[in-house]
Every structure is written in structure tokens, then in C-alpha cells.
């Protein structure tokens, strides 16, 4: 049987459908498919001894941002070292397509640190490049609403005219037909924040017609969490949409921690009403995003290039510092941590709180924005550990790292530890909560595949992709922290993508 590549023996199989573990063997074909998963009566190909450990389908990170970083780092070390073989990318409204002359320059600035020429235009030309570069994990990108809107109307604050709205719908339909699993929004970022509910509903109708999913970074995850969730569900009902993913579901800020019950009730009642609302979460209590989210008032409507331009003027710098001091309490800055920046002078301070880096954290923030608004990212504390546990317990919660594919070194910038630890920490936390191994693995494999319509993976089943992970459930431990964010997790013995072993611990 010369088409056989691997014969994996002596393993406990957890199939990704909620069942298991059971003893079994797996045969992998030379073209990267699963030939059989169960008892085996033949023995040929290269034998791999699983040493009595657990063999599971490749883990699916449903919320990543590796869109460009994976091209600069095709080995995807941060992902494959935690067993992630597929990432749903294009999240929070930010995708690498469609590109037009209206958004290309902005995205080149945003991704400048990766030195990747943005030479494609559509979903299919972008995916083709990922294939040529042999990027792992396999990226399945959503179409991002911010990129989509900017492709037709740029980044300015404006209402779309009829022709622009129509062009946007056509571009979305084209991406969906080429294989994008859905649309993502980031409704607190420019220019998504300028969209009316009507604009979103029109796009949702395109999704509904194609049977695809809407994944949303809500307009507010804190003070207006319930209103934002309510509006999303209202739009979904009006558009007749059936699948919604709430990205990095959380209650941000202690004043909003009590809102979890109501938010979960709203989701549960939508689910009872026939809408498949699902959520993802990174198992950490510090968020991370661009530092520019701290901007107050009209500053918050500027895109990165406009922020940097405006802050070349020292008068404007002083004015922004004054506004920031007014709008944020002094202790706020103790909760803001610099994670990465292109500003050379502060590279060695990454991982520290702004108050640890400078005597005047406000001026520091202004300086970082002036020099690198596009590339400076910060972490913000303010989530509840107890709510995190409760969110992870929801049977429709999946792992979403919100992180990038990165190498072990810091050549492409430093990460939030979630980029290297989410999947392993997610599994470990579930097992510690006495969720069965079958169920825990399902949440990171079968459930994400079902949710995002990936029919060729997520299960140990004949003919599916041989995306496999051999892991030791007793040894699972994420080890990355803010001081050493690129430390790989323990417990992942090897990771196989499409029949090729891409990582060994
Ligand atoms: Zn987001």
C-alpha cells in the first residue's frame, strides 16, 4: 500500500465529536488525508509510536490576526507549538482583502513591521499566496468589514452612498463565493464605527443568502456591552441571519462585571429562537489592542496615518495630553501595559506598565502614538477572573487567541502571552473544571469546524485532512507571560498539518 505515509500506533484517540478517549490507531495517506482512525489491520508506512498519549484533531483557533504575520513567518511557531493547525483570521473587521487603491496604503502602514508587499487584491489571490508560501497553520480568513468599507470609501467618517453600499455588498459576495467563511466587524475601530445598523443589516443579508457567519467585535465590551449585544441580535433577526460569533466575549471593566448574567441570557434566548450564537475567548484577563483606542473625542475618529500626521505638531501633542489627562483617571495608566512598538527607544520596555516606563505616562502615550500609532499595541487589565471561568464553561465557547503567528524570537515584535498559550491554557482550564476530555477537545476542534463551515477538518474521520496533534493531557501548561511572551507551551508532543509534521517539542 504505497499511498500510506504514517501509521500512528499506541495512542488514545479523541475524535473531536465529544466522544473518547478510546484506544486506536491512525493511518495517514501520502497526500495528507486520514485513511482510517480506529483499529488497524495492516502495518506499513512509517510507524509513529504515540507512547500511550492522546491523539486529537488539529486545534482550531477561531480568532486570530495572523493575516500578514504568517507570510513573514510561514512556520507559524506560536500556533503550531500549541497544537493549532487552523486559524480563522480576518477578525475584528480587519482582513487582508479586498484591497483597492483606497485602503492599500493604510494597510501597508499598519503592517509595516512585517515587510510584506501587499500585492494581491481578492480573497482568492491572497489565499493563493498563502499556499505558495506554505504557511502553517492553515489560515481561513473572514472578510473584515473595516477593510471592506475602506476598499470602497476610505477611512473617513462618512455615510456610504448607494453606489458605495452596493459595491461593498458585491465585494463581500465575491469573497464568500471564493471561500471566505463569513464577515467580521470591529465596530469600535475606524471606519467600522461609522457604519449604521442599516449598513450592517444589508451585509448580513448577503451572509444569510450564502449561509455564512457574522463574527463581531462588539461596539462596546464594557459600558455599553448589553446595548451593543442587543443591537447585534436585533440586526441579525432583521436580516434573517442564522449564525453569529461574539468575538472575545467579555465584560470589560469592574463596573461591568455584573452584566454577564444578562448577556448570557440574551445569547441563550437567541439560541432558543433558532439563531446559532457562539462565542470565543482567550483565557486571560488582560486584553490587547492598538494603543490608539485610548484616544478621546474626535481624535478617536482618526485613522493611524492621520493620528501620526497630526501629532507632528507639538501644539497638538500638548492638546492631546491635556484631553487624555482629563478623560482618564491617574490610576488608569497603572493598568495599561506596553506590549509592542516600532519605536526603537521603547522596545526594551515592552511588557511593562506605562507607569513603570515613564514618570509621565500620558506624555509617554502621546509620544508612542506620534511615532508609531499603527504599530504600538498595549494590554489593558480590567477583566474578571470569575467571569472568565464562567465564559469558558459555556458549552458554545471556543478558543480564540486574538494573537498572531509569530516566530520564537522577537524579530516580528512581541506578543501578548495569549499568542503562545491560548489553546493549551483553554484545554487545561476545561480539564481542571472537570469537563471531559472528549468535550474539551470538541470545543477546540469539532465545534469550531461546524461553526465556521469547515467540512474537511475538526474530526478524526476518514478522508478528512490529516491535521493531528499528539498531546499529553497531564502535562498541558502554557508558560508564556508578559516578561517572556514567546515561551512555548508544554504538553504538545508534535503537530501535523495536512500529513506533515510541522512541530516537535
Ligand atoms: Zn477584536
Amino acid at each position: 500500500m504505497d499511498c500510506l505515509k504514517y501509521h500512528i500506533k499506541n495512542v488514545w484517540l479523541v475524535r473531536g465529536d465529544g466522544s473518547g478517549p478510546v484506544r486506536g490507531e491512525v493511518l495517514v495517506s501520502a497526500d495528507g488525508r486520514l485513511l482510517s482512525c480506529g483499529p488497524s489491520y495492516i502495518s506499513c508506512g512509517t510507524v509513529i509510536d504515540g507512547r500511550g498519549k492522546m491523539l486529537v484533531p488539529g486545534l482550531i483557533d477561531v480568532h486570530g490576526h495572523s493575516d500578514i504575520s504568517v507570510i513573514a513567518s510561514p512556520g507559524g511557531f506560536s500556533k503550531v507549538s500549541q497544537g493549532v493547525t487552523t486559524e480563522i483570521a480576518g477578525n475584528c473587521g480587519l482582513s487582508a482583502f479586498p484591497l483597492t487603491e483606497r485602503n492599500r496604503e493604510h494597510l501597508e502602514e499598519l503592517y509595516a513591521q512585517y515587510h510584506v508587499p501587499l500585492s494581491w487584491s481578492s480573497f482568492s489571490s491572497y489565499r493563493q499566496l498563502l499556499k505558495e508560501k506554505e504557511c502553517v497553520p492553515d489560515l481561513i480568513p473572514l472578510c473584515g468589514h473595516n477593510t471592506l468599507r475602506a476598499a470602497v470609501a476610505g477611512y473617513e467618517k462618512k455615510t456610504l452612498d448607494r453606489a458605495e453600499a452596493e459595491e461593498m455588498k458585491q465585494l463581500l459576495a465575491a469573497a464568500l463565493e471564493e471561500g471566505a467563511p463569513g464577515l467580521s466587524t470591529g465596530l469600535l475601530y475606524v471606519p467600522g464605527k461609522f457604519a449604521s445598523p442599516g449598513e450592517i443589516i444589508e451585509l448580513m443579508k448577503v451572509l444569510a443568502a450564502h449561509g455564512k457567519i457574522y463574527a463581531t467585535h462588539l461596539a462596546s465590551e464594557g459600558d455599553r456591552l448589553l446595548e451593543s449585544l442587543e443591537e447585534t441580535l436585533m440586526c441579525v433577526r432583521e436580516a434573517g441571519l442564522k449564525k453569529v460569533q461574539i468575538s472575545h466575549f467579555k465584560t470589560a471593566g469592574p463596573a461591568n462585571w455584573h452584566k454577564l448574567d444578562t448577556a448570557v441570557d440574551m445569547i441563550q434566548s437567541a439560541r432558543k429562537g433558532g439563531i446559532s450564537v457562539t462565542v470565543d475567548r482567550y483565557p486571560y484577563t488582560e486584553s490587547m489592542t492598538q494603543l490608539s483606542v485610548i484616544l478621546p473625542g474626535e481624535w478617536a475618529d482618526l485613522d493611524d496615518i492621520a493620528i501620526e500626521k497630526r501629532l507632528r505638531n507639538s501644539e497638538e501633542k500638548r492638546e492631546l495630553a491635556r484631553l487624555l489627562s482629563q478623560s482618564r483617571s491617574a490610576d488608569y495608566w497603572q493598568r495599561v501595559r506596553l506590549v509592542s512598538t516600532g519605536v526603537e527607544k521603547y522596545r526594551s520596555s515592552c511588557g511593562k506598565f506605562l507607569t513603570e516606563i515613564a514618570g509621565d505616562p500620558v506624555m509617554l502615550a502621546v509620544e508612542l502614538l506620534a511615532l508609531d500609532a499603527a504599530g504600538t499595541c498595549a494590554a489593558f487589565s480590567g477583566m474578571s477572573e470569575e467571569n472568565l471561568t464562567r465564559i469558558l464553561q459555556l458549552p458554545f465557547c471556543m478558543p480564540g487567541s486574538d494573537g498572531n503567528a509569530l516566530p520564537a524570537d522577537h524579530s516580528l515584535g512581541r506578543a501578548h502571552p495569549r499568542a503562545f498559550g491560548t489553546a493549551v491554557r483553554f484545554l487545561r482550564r476545561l480539564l481542571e473544571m472537570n469537563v471531559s476530555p472528549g468535550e474539551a477537545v470538541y470545543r477546540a476542534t469539532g465545534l469550531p469546524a461546524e461553526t465556521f463551515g469547515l467540512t474537511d477538518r475538526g474530526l478524526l474521520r476518514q478522508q478528512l485532512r490529516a491535521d493531528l496533534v499528539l498531546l499529553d493531557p497531564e502535562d498541558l501548561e502554557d508558560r508564556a507571560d508578559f516578561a517572556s511572551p514567546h515561551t512555548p507551551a508544554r504538553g504538545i508532543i508534535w503537530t501535523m498539518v495536512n500529513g506533515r509534521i510541522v512541530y516537535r517539542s
Side-chain angles (χ1 to χ4, degrees):
M1 200 171 173
D2 56 10
C3 58
L4 182 67
K5 187 172 182 188
Y6 292 121
H7 183 175
I8 306 166
K9 289 181 167 176
N10 188 21
V11 285
W12 288 94
L13 304 180
V14 180
R15 296 179 184 276
D17 58 3
S19 70
V22 293
R23 291 294 288 189
E25 304 185 357
V26 165
L27 301 178
V28 175
S29 73
D31 66 350
R33 300 274 138 186
L34 297 171
L35 282 179
S36 85
C37 310
S40 182
Y41 306 103
I42 53 164
S43 187
C44 56
T46 306
V47 172
I48 298 177
D49 180 3
R51 299 168 6 218
K53 304 302 183 192
M54 194 179 275
L55 189 72
V56 308
L59 308 182
I60 301 177
D61 179 353
V62 300
H63 189 100
H65 288 284
S66 304
D67 307 77
I68 307 298
S69 77
V70 80
I71 301 171
S73 178
F77 181 76
S78 60
K79 302 278 171 177
V80 296
S81 61
Q82 47 178 325
V84 169
T85 58
T86 297
E87 173 189 310
I88 304 294
N91 277 291
C92 302
L94 178 63
S95 60
F97 64 89
L99 291 186
T100 66
E101 70 285 0
R102 312 197 73 139
N103 60 3
R104 200 181 300 266
E105 185 199 358
H106 175 96
L107 291 167
E108 275 172 348
E109 170 76 14
L110 181 68
Y111 291 118
Q113 75 203 86
Y114 300 123
H115 304 288
V116 171
L118 306 190
S119 55
W120 56 86
S121 55
S122 63
F123 173 92
S124 56
S125 51
Y126 166 67
R127 277 273 289 170
Q128 183 57 33
L129 180 77
L130 296 182
K131 208 177 252 179
E132 281 163 19
K133 300 275 179 191
E134 297 186 3
C135 297
V136 285
D138 192 29
L139 246 63
I140 310 283
L142 297 156
C143 179
H145 169 248
N146 291 337
T147 305
L148 180 66
R149 194 182 209 267
V152 304
Y155 289 86
E156 304 90 70
K157 182 175 186 176
K158 64 180 285 193
T159 306
L160 300 187
D161 64 31
R162 192 184 294 227
E164 288 165 336
E166 197 47 45
E167 192 186 348
M168 201 163 67
K169 284 164 66 175
Q170 283 172 11
L171 284 171
L172 173 61
L176 299 176
E177 282 153 26
E178 287 171 14
L183 175 78
S184 78
T185 52
L187 297 172
L188 90 164
Y189 301 113
V190 171
K193 61 189 293 188
F194 309 135
S196 64
E199 179 180 324
I200 302 298
I201 290 169
E202 286 306 304
L203 296 173
M204 284 178 173
K205 287 181 184 165
V206 177
L207 293 172
H210 288 80
K212 303 267 178 153
I213 194 167
Y214 174 75
T216 182
H217 177 149
L218 295 168
S220 168
E221 299 180 311
D223 293 346
R224 294 185 52 78
L225 166 68
L226 299 177
E227 291 84 347
S228 299
L229 185 57
E230 181 59 48
E231 182 172 295
T232 299
L233 295 173
M234 186 271 292
C235 292
V236 163
R237 288 185 181 107
E238 180 147 350
L241 190 61
K242 291 287 173 240
K243 293 175 90 174
V244 188
Q245 178 84 4
I246 306 299
S247 301
H248 35 62
F249 182 46
K250 63 169 85 77
T251 52
N256 302 304
W257 291 356
H258 69 282
K259 295 177 181 171
L260 185 62
D261 283 330
T262 312
V264 171
D265 284 350
M266 287 162 73
I267 291 173
Q268 296 282 24
S269 86
R271 287 171 62 87
K272 278 186 197 125
I275 301 167
S276 165
V277 187
T278 42
V279 307
D280 56 76
R281 180 59 197 262
Y282 46 84
Y284 298 80
T285 56
E286 281 183 61
S287 64
M288 184 183 91
T289 188
Q290 283 180 289
L291 179 63
S292 57
V293 296
I294 65 169
L295 288 171
E298 59 170 37
W299 284 87
D301 291 343
L302 301 176
D303 72 89
D304 305 323
I305 296 175
I307 295 165
E308 289 170 12
K309 261 189 199 153
R310 195 156 160 188
L311 288 175
R312 280 184 206 143
N313 178 323
S314 50
E315 207 37 54
E316 295 276 19
K317 273 188 175 173
R318 273 196 293 278
E319 172 60 11
L320 176 58
R322 193 183 64 76
L323 287 172
L324 279 174
S325 306
Q326 250 175 23
S327 60
R328 308 278 181 187
S329 64
D331 66 342
Y332 171 78
W333 303 101
Q334 292 168 15
R335 303 195 298 269
V336 183
R337 193 199 286 272
L338 179 64
V339 177
S340 70
T341 180
V343 183
E344 199 53 53
K345 182 176 163 194
Y346 294 111
R347 285 242 172 109
S348 59
S349 302
C350 289
K352 293 184 180 163
F353 289 100
L354 297 196
T355 45
E356 297 175 297
I357 304 170
D360 185 345
V362 177
M363 277 317 295
L364 171 62
V366 171
E367 192 183 346
L368 288 164
L369 291 170
L371 296 172
D372 186 23
T376 300
C377 289
F380 301 85
S381 344
M383 279 180 257
S384 151
E385 190 63 46
E386 189 190 327
N387 282 359
L388 167 59
T389 302
R390 290 184 51 205
I391 290 167
L392 294 176
Q393 280 167 336
L394 295 170
F396 47 84
C397 177
M398 308 162 220
S401 70
D402 216 355
N404 291 357
L406 290 170
D409 62 30
H410 293 167
S411 58
L412 295 179
R414 280 168 69 109
H416 182 301
R418 67 191 180 188
F420 283 74
T422 288
V424 163
R425 188 187 275 218
F426 184 94
L427 288 180
R428 183 185 162 129
R429 292 281 298 252
L430 262 55
L431 295 174
E432 282 170 356
M433 290 182 230
N434 291 322
V435 172
S436 71
E439 169 72 17
V441 169
Y442 167 67
R443 294 249 234 110
T445 57
L447 178 62
E450 261 165 58
T451 304
F452 288 87
L454 313 178
T455 53
D456 61 349
R457 67 194 75 192
L459 297 171
L460 299 186
R461 182 177 289 167
Q462 208 175 355
Q463 289 311 318
L464 298 196
R465 283 167 59 102
D467 290 351
L468 299 169
V469 179
L470 185 70
L471 59 83
D472 181 350
E474 309 290 322
D475 195 35
L476 289 175
E477 186 188 6
D478 57 288
R479 296 183 302 159
D481 57 21
F482 280 98
S484 301
H486 291 208
T487 312
R490 287 172 60 99
I492 302 297
I493 300 162
W494 53 252
T495 303
M496 182 184 287
V497 175
N498 228 3
R500 188 161 67 94
I501 292 184
V502 294
Y503 171 79
R504 279 180 205 275
S505 63

